[in-house]
Every structure is written in structure tokens, then in C-alpha cells.
Amino acid sequence: MEPFRFHLFVCTQQKPEGVTSCPASGSFAVLEALDREIQAGTLKGNAQLTTCGCMGLCDEGPVLVVYPEGVYYRRLKPSDVAEIVHSHLEHGKPVDRIVWKDAAAMKAMSAEHEEKYRAMVAARDRAGTLPDHLDQMIRAYWPSRCLLTALELDIFTAVGDGGNAQQIGTKVRASARGVSMLLDALVSLGLLSKSGGNYKNTPESARFFTQGSKDNHRNGLLHIANIWHNWSTLTDAVRRGAHVAADRGRDPETTRDFIAAMQRNSKDRAPLVVKALGTTGVKRVLDLGGGSGAYSIAWAKASPEVQCEILDVPEVVSLTTEYVRQAGVSGQVKVGAGDMLEGDLGSGYDLIMLNAICHMFSPEQNRAIFRRAHKALAPKGRLVVQDFILNPDKTGPQHAALFSLNMLVNTEAGASYSEPEYVEWIKASGFTEVSRIELPGPSALIVGVR
Ligand SMILES: C[S@@+](CC[C@H](N)C(=O)[O-])C[C@H]1O[C@@H](n2cnc3c(N)ncnc32)[C@H](O)[C@@H]1O
Ligand code: FES
């Protein structure tokens, strides 16, 4: 069978809690075990592992189908997987004790399931029941809020190598009652495990959410917890057409979380942006609102010829300077304090970058920045806007459309903008060629050449 010798389908159809399904019977653990076993053995590259939807065989799950033979396995456990890979895939002998051979029974079960399913859909429709996807959307913030509170309290660090609710509550200075409810909810979300009243971090939680781990993302993620408060004012902000949240100010901790969040977003992306733009002819770069300096750092690392200047607000400058120092490029990246909305931007730059900047400002403010950037660029110099760019009718992509509301509640006059808007503003500022560069991920580049 081309292009693979085997194609394996594992059912991972999610169903509402309490309804029999392959995931509820453990199909994700089977999937992981299969992946591990295939990657480790001789079948790597010859066996394609794919998840699939319900086949109506849910009572016998987890179900795996192996093609080209069309062999069905049922009631699988991760401990069966090594035998299937070794005996069936490597030596052509299906594992008889778990192969489901009764095709007639399978067909009958599948048909009965389909009939019941269709009857259930019709009954819910007649009764005017809210569809599951809407019900889920309306509650989608529950798990999110639960994790944000755990991060705010630094629960995962307090869990450490394990402890009971009382011990963890004492460490985070919160009530035993509240903490034990939160801990149990975190277990239900798969972020902790619990055994006999003792809670432990999962490997993922320990890696990404605890102090001392080199991959700890907590500070950057706290930015999302910080802006949550403003999102709670969305209804009034929509009524007013502008943000209504009291200015929570930028205390040093909030600023640290915000810049850590920028670093999280930008550090892996920046080298891709530099590669997409190319270093040819780039010697002087101005990075407006450089944040953690991720983009200037990427330019400096891409070419020893490039000198970058970052302009950011005074309260951010010391954080930026530290990120630049840690990256070992202080000789090529200078950090200055200032307001990009005011004053002269200088002259003779080959490239001016506005990464995740324009959405903070109004159309008029962006036009003014573009005009001043045009003046500050050398002939043939490039203005680069990176942002979440809306389709012309502004209804998508979804991230850009939702981000626009993020700006409604968090800024004076910011929004996501569409490509036609950017093109018009850039051309009106004197740039001749304007083009768009697609990148993987939620943002794209719009480049104007002077
Ligand atoms: C959304 S962050 C983007 C950071 C960085 N460009 C990136 O993509 O990772 C916006 C940055 O602009 C800075 N900023 C906001 N208003 C500014 C202004 N008027 N002048 C200079 N910098 C400003 C903020 O402090 C922050 O570092
Ligand atoms: S959920 Fe897997 S067969 Fe129905």
C-alpha cells in the first residue's frame, strides 16, 4: 500500500462527559503508546497513525483499525500496543485475543448506534435544546479561568513534589476549602494528579508552570490573567465604543509579565521574520516598541553587519536591556527610552519595524507614524508592519477579529486592521511598493518600500 505499508486509525471522538466513547475508555493513551512504539521501531516512516471519528463501536472502545488488512482491534489498552506493533505490523500476525472478527456483530452495533444517534439529534432538535457547541462556547472560560487563578496563586510551584490541600493552601496563603476545590478542578482538567488526598504536578505542569523550571512560562501567561480584568468590561466597552476599564496602571510586575508575554510570542517567530525579509542591504534597523528586543536580537544574530536601535517607553527599557544583554548582542543593539508617537525618528535607516504595534493605535496615529517612518528611512529602505491582519470584510481570521476586542477593552483607540487599510495608509505616506508576506502563525507582514 503506497505511500505507507500500514495505515492505523484510532478513534478519538470526543463526546459529552458521561457518554460512552473511545476517549473515555482511554484511546488517547493508546494513541500515545502506538506513536512511541512506532517511532522507536523499524516501522518509522512506514506506518501512518491517524485519529478518526466515531464508528459506532463505542461500547467496545478504544477501537483501532489497521489497513490495508482492515483488522479491527477492540477494548485496547496501552499494554497491548507493543504486541500489536511487534506481532502484527512487524511479523504479519494479528493479535488474535483482541482482534474483533465478528463483522456481522460490528455492523449491527454500528447501525444501531447510528439509528439511536439520529433519533437523539432529532429529539433534541424538536425540543429546542441548545446545541453542544454553543453550550461549550458559553462556558469556555471556566477551564481558562481555573488555570489563570492557579497561575496567579502559583499553585503548581506550591504543589512541587506533592502535597495535600492543607499544605498547598498554607504555601499559597489561601483557604484550605477554596484550594482543595481548585486542586480537584485542576485534576479534572488533567493539569494535576491526585492519589489518596495527595496532589502532584503532571510532567507538563511541572515543566511549564513551576518556578525553577527552565521552560517556566508563568510570567508570560500572567499577562493573560492581567488583561482578563479588562475583558470583563467588554459589554460596557461595546456600549461606549471605547475602553471603560479603570486604568490599572503599569506597576513593575504587570510590565514584567507583559514583556515576558511579548518574549513568549516573539522569540521563536523573530528569526522567521528576519529570514523572510532577508539581510541584504540591511545595516541600520529601528525597532519601534521593541518590547523584549526579540526582533532586534534576531537581526543582530543573523548578521554581524546589522546595528539595531530599539525605542520603547521608559518603564520597559531596563527589561529590554536585560533581554538584550542575556542574548549577548549588546554591542549591536542599543535601547533608548521615548515615545514613538512624538518627535523625530532620526534618519538613514534601512529598515523600520513595527511588530505588534499598529493594533495599539488609531488609524490617525498609525498614519502619522508611517509618515515619520518614511522620512526616517534611507532611499529604498523598508517599513515592516507585522500584525494580526483582518480580511477586507473584517470577519476573520478569528484570532485577528477577537484581538480587535482585546484592543477595544485594553487601549484608548486600538483595533485590528485590514490589509486594504494598511496598504492605503502606507501608500498615502509616500511609499511606492507595498507587498504582503505570509508567515506561519496568526500574523503576517506588510512591507512598504521607500
Ligand atoms: C505589543 S508590544 C510588542 C513588542 C515587540 N515589538 C514584539 O513584537 O515582541 C508593544 C510594545 O510597544 C511599546 N510601546 C507602547 N506605546 C509606545 C510608545 N508610545 N512609544 C514607544 N513604545 C511604545 C510597549 O511598551 C511594548 O513594548
Ligand atoms: S467513540 Fe469510538 S467508535 Fe464511537
Side-chain angles (χ1 to χ4, degrees), residues 5 20 66 79 81 97 176 197 199 205 255 261 272 287 294 341 373 380 402 408 418:
R5 259 176 65 205
T20 310
V66 179
S79 54
V81 161
R97 65 183 172 80
Y199 296 89
S205 300
T255 304
L272 303 178
D287 185 358
L341 296 172
K380 292 283 163 204
L402 293 178
L408 177 67
S418 68

Side-chain angles (χ1 to χ4, degrees), residues 258-259 262 266 289-291 295 312-313 316 338-340 355-357 360:
F258 175 53
I259 297 303
M262 296 308 109
S266 303
Y295 288 91
D312 211 303
V313 296
V316 166
D339 183 349
M340 76 174 94
N355 293 303
I357 298 298
M360 295 186 297

Side-chain angles (χ1 to χ4, degrees), residues 23 76 103 122 131 190 230 255 266-267 272 306 313 315 378 396 429 431 443:
L76 275 182
N230 291 358
T255 304
S266 303
K267 96 175 160 14
L272 303 178
V306 178
V313 296
E315 59 270 29
S429 307
F431 292 89
S443 57

Side-chain angles (χ1 to χ4, degrees), residues 10-15 20-23 27 52-63 113:
V10 178
C11 172
T12 54
Q13 178 75 58
Q14 300 277 6
K15 299 201 172 177
T20 310
S21 70
C22 292
S27 66
C52 70
C54 181
M55 296 171 262
L57 307 173
C58 334
D59 289 343
E60 296 291 325
V63 177
H113 178 276

